[in-house]
């Protein structure tokens, strides 16, 4: 379906609401029969299923794990391996996802790859600039830089005013995952 | 299902992502079998269906229009009528929604009622304080005040860095509704 030019949306900042906003956007788009791809960086939803993943899949949304688990154990991880995995993810987005005529493509937590220096600004900018013209592209995650913000058409910075984590309340099922 | 104490989440600010974050949170919760109510203030989804409303309903989420259309025409609207409608919405939330054992209740755009003085701070604080203990409550909309922020456990302020409306791009189907 030709919907005209798709824009680039960016959700960044340290508050809760970036991935959930992308999920909400996917649901709204799905209700309008968009063809949607939700690509997860650093979230292995097959190993650690989330409340949202099964519902998104049931709605016909294509899910991809483009980069597997986040390297929580900074002392033992192999930087170069993760760098290669992220580069492969860029290749996969450009050569597979971008060729499948999606109306909406979500690259969830991709900004983390920039923040943690697994990808460079230029590599992400290249990915943004190569998106198919009609595709709406959403990038989420903390760590978006000025240059990435310049490339986007819509930017929301989600500021944490309060978060229960700071009160010692841990991750809650149905809320954080 | 007893999930322990529910918290109060608040999404405010002038950027895109408040309602979509609430939708995303509802989807994540639905995937974990929460019993969910999505109550809309100032959005008549039966008259103006949105992409999300049908999908939320199909997932078994209870939808209510608690206050109908937003009074766009400021010159002709009857303030007292809308004030009464908002007061009735508070009554409905407390005496109907709060008695139905929902795990998650979303009051979408309720902050607009405060911003536009259809409801007072004290009326909304009373509503927050009367929520059932186990219910997670989400309030969205611009215009949350310091006192409302104090009542919440989680507050994200979504700052507009860029929005296509400012470039003259209007509301887009599948994206804004």
């Amino acid at each position: 379906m030709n919907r005209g030019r798709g824009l680039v949306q960016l959700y960044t900042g340290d508050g809760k609401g970036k991935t959930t906003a992308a999920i909400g956007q996917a649901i709204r788009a799905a209700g309008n029969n968009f063809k949607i791809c939700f690509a997860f960086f650093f979230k292995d939803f097959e190993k650690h299923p989330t409340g949202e993943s099964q519902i998104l899949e049931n709605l016909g949304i294509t899910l991809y794990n483009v980069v597997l688990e986040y390297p929580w154990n900074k002392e033992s991880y192999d930087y170069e391996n993760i760098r290669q995995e992220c580069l492969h993810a860029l290749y996969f987005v450009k050569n597979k996802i971008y060729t499948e005529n999606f109306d909406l493509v979500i690259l969830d937590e991709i900004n983390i790859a920039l923040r943690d220096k697994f990808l460079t600004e230029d590599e992400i900018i290249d990915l943004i600039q190569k998106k198919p013209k009609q595709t709406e592209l959403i990038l989420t995650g903390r760590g978006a830089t000025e240059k990435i913000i310049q490339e986007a058409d819509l930017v929301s910075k989600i500021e944490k005013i309060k978060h229960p984590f700071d009160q010692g309340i841990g991750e809650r099922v149905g809320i954080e995952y």
Side-chain angles (χ1 to χ4, degrees), chain A:
Chain A
M1 195 182 298
N2 187 344
R3 302 179 190 277
R5 185 171 74 90
L7 303 182
V8 178
Q9 302 185 25
L10 175 62
Y11 296 90
T12 193
D14 61 354
K16 178 171 169 65
K18 299 178 290 295
T19 295
T20 45
I23 297 167
Q25 187 67 86
I27 293 298
R28 182 173 286 168
N32 285 289
N33 302 310
F34 279 43
K35 185 179 173 188
I36 304 163
C37 173
F38 212 116
F40 297 93
F41 282 68
F42 305 114
K43 283 182 190 172
D44 187 344
F45 68 86
E46 285 172 8
K47 197 165 166 188
H48 303 286
T50 58
E52 59 267 30
S53 55
Q54 195 58 56
I55 290 183
L56 296 173
E57 215 157 26
N58 290 348
L59 289 168
I61 294 172
T62 301
L63 305 191
Y64 288 119
N65 274 328
V66 292
V67 177
L68 296 179
E69 288 178 90
Y70 185 74
W72 292 109
N73 189 342
K74 303 269 180 193
E75 279 161 28
S76 71
Y77 81 69
D78 182 336
Y79 168 84
E80 197 50 44
N81 268 353
I82 300 166
R83 161 94 178 131
Q84 288 305 321
E85 202 182 347
C86 287
L87 285 175
H88 181 265
L90 294 188
Y91 180 88
F92 183 82
V93 173
K94 283 188 254 189
N95 293 283
K96 168 87 172 149
I97 295 176
Y98 279 0
T99 65
E100 293 188 332
N101 295 313
F102 288 109
D103 299 301
L104 172 63
V105 170
I106 293 157
L107 305 176
D108 187 48
E109 303 289 8
I110 188 173
N111 296 333
I112 294 295
L114 174 64
R115 185 197 69 177
D116 292 355
K117 302 190 194 330
F118 298 121
L119 292 174
T120 67
E121 263 183 339
D122 286 348
E123 285 162 348
I124 292 180
I125 289 170
D126 178 67
L127 190 72
I128 294 171
Q129 292 179 343
K130 290 207 167 103
K131 82 162 185 68
K133 196 177 165 197
Q134 79 284 0
T135 301
E136 185 92 4
L137 184 67
I138 296 181
L139 296 84
T140 81
R142 307 173 182 216
T145 58
E146 259 319 303
K147 274 190 167 177
I148 306 290
I149 287 170
Q150 278 175 28
E151 293 295 317
D153 302 290
L154 182 156
V155 181
S156 287
K157 186 177 173 189
I158 303 189
E159 189 190 347
K160 179 182 79 174
I161 307 288
K162 279 187 186 179
H163 198 293
F165 290 173
D166 299 328
Q167 312 303 318
I169 297 170
E171 292 208 322
R172 295 177 300 145
V173 62
I175 304 295
E176 262 80 47
Y177 59 95

